Amino acid sequence: MNDYVILTDSCSDLEKELREKFDIKYIPMRFTVDDAEYAADLDWKIISPKDFYDLMRNGKRVKTSQISVIDFETVFETYAEKNTDILYIGCSSALSASVKASVVAAENVKEKYPDVKILCVDSLNSSYALGLMTIYAAHMKKNGKTIQEVADSIEREKLNYNQEATVESLHYLKLSGRISAASAFFGGMLSVKPIIVSDIKGQNVSIEKVRGRQTSFDKIAERVADEIITDNHDEIFIAHADCEKDAILLKEIIAAKLGDKNIKFHIGYVGPIVGASTGPGTIIVDFYGKKVTFEG
């Protein structure tokens, strides 16, 4: 039986510390600013998170691109030539075509390396929810599960990875085509804050709207307390788009709602791919909970 590697992509938002701790590798997507293209580096080597989000605050348009079939083939072959099987857990197919490209690349590589198993899983999610799935996969691998057992488990449980988010400004959702210009304009005037979830199809959709930033935090905390399952999972991951104080505040509100439940919190940055669509001030809360049933 071959050893196997767990791969993900830039939409997982997993920083170096977590990737090294759980032996998770990632394939970078790309983003473009002013016709200059950059790798969507989760370690922010080329540009700092503050500088990235300041570009957006100052009116720069950030465009993103998926991982190409050729890029997947290049990475897959580096493992296949060492007889290492590959489990790729990728960004939701509703948000990116990368998973589809990975399947094509996997078939191409397996023609050359027929004894290597390459499994591509559509996470139907993004940000730390995707990251949490890869961490879960790493735990199973460490406990001796085969690549097929891990892939099957992720497929069964991926809708248990909940995502609750809100944005500071509707402007960036308008730019990315998520909402209309009229909705962004009037929503901004009324200080409307959408509560955004990942639905059963992997789409990011607004499940309700509230007035004001603080109210959006209270609503997210309420929803997390109602949805979370803590039997075998004891972590909540919070990603922020250059608004760490808000992330800490939301953590405290959630902790108060959960009471004496022994929950560990992890706070990090919304990466450049997710952040390009949602903008600075975005807050995303990811955790294991009740199976998602909502369809937008």
Side-chain angles (χ1 to χ4, degrees):
M1 184 182 298
N2 294 342
D3 189 17
Y4 63 95
V5 64
I6 297 171
L7 291 175
T8 186
D9 55 50
S10 298
C11 283
S12 69
D13 291 349
L14 288 177
E15 56 266 41
K16 185 177 182 180
E17 177 187 357
L18 291 173
R19 298 196 313 272
E20 289 185 345
K21 180 179 179 180
F22 297 105
D23 194 22
I24 295 164
K25 312 299 182 185
Y26 85 104
I27 307 174
M29 295 168 171
R30 307 192 73 79
F31 69 88
T32 304
V33 182
D34 288 340
D35 297 324
E37 189 177 63
Y38 306 91
D41 173 26
L42 295 180
D43 302 326
W44 303 95
K45 295 174 187 172
I46 300 171
I47 183 172
S48 72
K50 177 169 176 49
D51 288 343
F52 177 83
Y53 287 111
D54 277 347
L55 283 174
M56 298 184 72
R57 291 183 179 106
N58 293 328
K60 293 292 184 181
R61 180 77 181 274
V62 180
K63 298 180 180 179
T64 63
S65 57
Q66 68 183 60
I67 304 167
S68 69
V69 172
I70 292 175
D71 286 343
F72 272 118
E73 288 179 353
T74 300
V75 174
F76 288 172
E77 284 205 18
T78 62
Y79 293 103
E81 65 188 11
K82 295 182 286 189
N83 289 321
T84 300
D85 293 338
I86 299 159
L87 173 58
Y88 168 65
I89 307 173
C91 179
S92 170
S93 58
L95 306 176
S96 169
S98 292
V99 167
K100 293 180 181 177
S102 75
V103 172
V104 174
E107 291 303 317
N108 293 343
V109 172
K110 283 189 286 187
E111 288 181 3
K112 186 175 179 181
Y113 300 93
D115 296 328
V116 172
K117 184 173 287 188
I118 306 175
L119 304 179
C120 303
V121 177
D122 180 358
S123 72
L124 296 180
N125 224 314
S126 61
S127 194
Y128 277 143
L130 167 56
L132 279 167
M133 285 184 219
T134 64
I135 290 173
Y136 177 49
H139 281 306
M140 286 189 285
K141 180 187 177 186
K142 185 177 180 181
N143 290 331
K145 299 296 184 183
T146 68
I147 185 173
Q148 191 66 58
E149 288 173 327
V150 175
D152 290 345
S153 182
I154 294 294
E155 285 286 359
R156 285 193 305 270
E157 297 190 42
K158 61 188 179 183
L159 290 178
N160 287 102
Y161 288 84
N162 286 237
Q163 185 170 95
E164 303 281 344
T166 192
V167 297
E168 188 171 46
S169 170
L170 299 175
H171 172 69
Y172 305 100
L173 294 179
K174 180 198 75 174
L175 288 179
S176 62
R178 309 282 175 170
I179 61 172
S180 70
S183 294
F185 177 74
F186 290 110
M189 287 183 63
L190 297 172
S191 192
V192 169
K193 306 298 178 186
I195 306 301
I196 300 168
V197 302
S198 184
D199 75 357
I200 61 172
K201 291 186 175 180
Q203 305 169 115
N204 288 340
V205 295
S206 174
I207 199 165
E208 62 180 297
K209 300 177 180 68
V210 297
R211 295 279 295 276
R213 183 82 159 167
Q214 179 66 47
T215 307
S216 71
F217 290 176
D218 292 339
K219 176 55 68 173
I220 286 175
E222 179 184 310
R223 290 180 56 81
V224 171
D226 182 60
E227 299 293 332
I228 194 168
I229 294 174
T230 58
D231 294 345
N232 298 309
H233 301 264
D234 62 354
E235 289 185 303
I236 293 175
F237 277 42
I238 302 176
H240 68 90
D242 196 32
C243 52
E244 186 177 23
K245 289 182 179 179
D246 282 351
I248 293 170
L249 172 60
L250 181 52
K251 167 195 165 182
E252 292 170 350
I253 297 171
I254 293 171
K257 279 280 185 186
L258 293 176
D260 59 357
K261 290 182 180 177
N262 188 25
I263 298 293
K264 300 171 188 174
F265 286 87
H266 177 86
I267 295 177
Y269 284 103
V270 176
I273 297 298
V274 178
S277 294
T278 59
T282 298
I283 296 274
I284 305 173
V285 182
D286 297 296
F287 57 96
Y288 188 90
K290 298 175 185 175
K291 193 172 287 288
V292 173
T293 59
F294 178 77
E295 180 178 349

